[in-house]
Amino acid sequence: MTDNKNSSFKYFKLAALLNGDFEFNDEGGKRHPLAKYNSSISNVLKYLNKIIDNNNLALQTKIYNSNQANYDVLTDALLNFMNTFMTHVEIMGGIINDFFPQKKEQDKIRKELNRSDARNYVGVIINHIKHNGGTLNPASLVNSKNEAILGFFVVGYEGGSIGPYTIVHNKGDDLISINYFIRKVTADLFLIDGIMASYIENHIQCKNQEHTDEALSSLLEKINNIPYKFFDKEYKRNHLMYSMKNGIASLEHLKFKRNMIMEGRISVSYTGDGVTRTLRIPLGVRS
């Protein structure tokens, strides 16, 4: 998907479609597609909101200046979001079945969902945590003005040492800022929404053109207010990100400027396993 500016990125098109008229066979107690969608997306947005709120709280209370900064609430919100995000993709697969009874069609659409960067970005992280014992470890950067950004890195065991998991951090971008992550995964939600909507829209007889959601509008406004401040090396990624300028929402590849990269003291946290003696420190921490 190329850079795209469109006011439709202020609401989810799939929600608007599922509020329209279409044939649905509820034999066997099947749940209505709109009910499945509403339940799933509300959980995803709840935890996305919690990441933003806990990030803001940590910055306001300056916990990063503590000798033993506690980022557990923020880390929990990140993990809960990633899990509900992946569940959301699976539920989208179930909604596909409601509109396409033929397995061949189901597999085709599901394959497109599963191959999308929108799914794989979070999928690689959460699968590593679930199956390889990986962890999300906190990171913070504080500059000379006592301004800060918070983030995390994904830890894995490789080559006899513990450090940034190279499959996730494969461009030397060892730290992921909350500022980057929020804009990236918000774009991902719209990308998945667009894939789904493009397949089912021909099955909807009466289509609502827009689906106003005050809670979503409020959340998108909070996301838009997140500062464009990032760790070094984050510019090496090439992801679509969510932004809104002059009332126009867009998914676009961010053009990094020098003043977007913060410089300062970086702090990270590790938990040893009692056996491995070698730690690989994220780039930037050494300086």
Side-chain angles (χ1 to χ4, degrees), residues 213-283:
D213 185 326
E214 292 184 6
L216 176 60
S217 297
S218 175
L219 177 58
L220 292 177
E221 186 64 31
K222 290 169 71 172
I223 292 168
N224 193 51
N225 290 331
I226 292 173
Y228 286 96
K229 296 292 183 182
F230 308 101
F231 292 118
D232 193 12
K233 307 300 182 185
E234 292 197 271
Y235 66 86
K236 289 192 171 185
R237 306 184 195 120
N238 191 34
H239 297 131
L240 286 169
M241 302 176 76
Y242 180 87
S243 66
M244 189 185 302
K245 300 173 185 176
N246 301 319
I248 303 297
S250 65
L251 309 184
E252 59 186 3
H253 295 282
L254 182 63
K255 296 178 181 178
F256 277 85
K257 300 178 181 178
R258 184 179 295 274
N259 63 0
M260 293 180 179
I261 307 299
M262 278 189 64
E263 297 181 354
R265 174 178 54 83
I266 298 176
S267 299
V268 297
S269 174
Y270 274 92
T271 300
D273 61 13
V275 177
T276 308
R277 297 183 179 275
T278 304
L279 299 179
R280 287 177 286 108
I281 306 299
L283 291 174

Side-chain angles (χ1 to χ4, degrees), residues 92-103:
M92 294 304 97
I95 291 175
I96 289 168
N97 296 351
D98 294 327
F99 289 90
F100 297 90
Q102 298 297 321
K103 188 176 184 302

Side-chain angles (χ1 to χ4, degrees), residues 96 100 105-113 196 199:
I96 289 168
F100 297 90
E105 284 294 315
Q106 295 172 6
D107 291 345
K108 173 187 172 183
I109 303 169
R110 196 171 284 108
K111 183 178 291 186
E112 183 173 349
L113 278 174
M196 288 290 298
Y199 279 104

Side-chain angles (χ1 to χ4, degrees), residues 41-106:
I41 196 65
S42 65
N43 278 329
V44 173
L45 297 180
K46 176 178 73 174
Y47 287 114
L48 186 59
N49 200 37
K50 285 191 175 185
I51 296 172
I52 298 169
D53 287 346
N54 285 305
N55 182 63
N56 289 341
L57 180 62
L59 292 172
Q60 291 163 8
T61 55
K62 300 185 185 300
I63 66 168
Y64 46 83
N65 283 335
S66 169
N67 289 331
Q68 292 182 322
N70 187 339
Y71 296 101
D72 287 352
V73 176
L74 179 56
T75 301
D76 287 347
L78 282 163
L79 287 170
N80 284 327
F81 168 80
M82 291 184 193
N83 279 307
T84 54
F85 179 94
M86 295 305 294
T87 299
H88 181 66
V89 177
E90 292 300 315
I91 289 173
M92 294 304 97
I95 291 175
I96 289 168
N97 296 351
D98 294 327
F99 289 90
F100 297 90
Q102 298 297 321
K103 188 176 184 302
K104 184 177 180 180
E105 284 294 315
Q106 295 172 6

Side-chain angles (χ1 to χ4, degrees), residues 8 37 137 262 284:
S8 66
Y37 176 84
N137 285 27
M262 278 189 64

